[in-house]
C-alpha cells in the first residue's frame, strides 16, 4: 500500500495559513493549524490552495512581526 505524504497529496483537502510575518503555508485541513498561524483560505483542493498562495504571496521577504 502506498501512502501519500499529507503535505503533498494532490487529492487532499488543504488550508492556506499566514503567520505574523505574512508568510504563507499549505496545510492539510484535517490537522489543527500550528500556533501563530491564521487560516486565510478554508478547506479546498491542493492546486486551488497553491494558486491562492501564488496570487497573494508575491513578496517572499518576511515582514516584521507586529504586536510584539
Amino acid at each position: 500500500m502506498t501512502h501519500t505524504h499529507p503535505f503533498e497529496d494532490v487529492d487532499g483537502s488543504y488550508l492556506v495559513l499566514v503567520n505574523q510575518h505574512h508568510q504563507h503555508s499549505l496545510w492539510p485541513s484535517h490537522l489543527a493549524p500550528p500556533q501563530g498561524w491564521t487560516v486565510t483560505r478554508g478547506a479546498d483542493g491542493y492546486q486551488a490552495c497553491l494558486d491562492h498562495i501564488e496570487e497573494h504571496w508575491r513578496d517572499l521577504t518576511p515582514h516584521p512581526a507586529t504586536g510584539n
Side-chain angles (χ1 to χ4, degrees):
M1 177 183 232
T2 303
H3 293 285
T4 302
H5 190 283
F7 289 87
E8 300 172 350
D9 180 3
V10 295
D11 296 321
S13 178
Y14 291 88
L15 306 172
V16 175
L17 308 180
V18 175
N19 68 12
Q20 64 184 353
H21 301 287
H22 302 282
Q23 296 168 312
H24 289 61
S25 179
L26 184 69
W27 196 259
S29 63
H30 68 278
L31 298 175
Q35 186 175 4
W37 291 81
T38 303
V39 176
T40 62
R41 183 178 179 97
D44 205 342
Y46 182 82
Q47 190 60 53
C49 288
L50 286 180
D51 292 345
H52 178 85
I53 290 171
E54 184 175 324
E55 180 181 341
H56 291 93
W57 191 23
R58 299 276 183 188
D59 180 5
L60 300 182
T61 306
H63 295 200
T66 57
N68 290 338

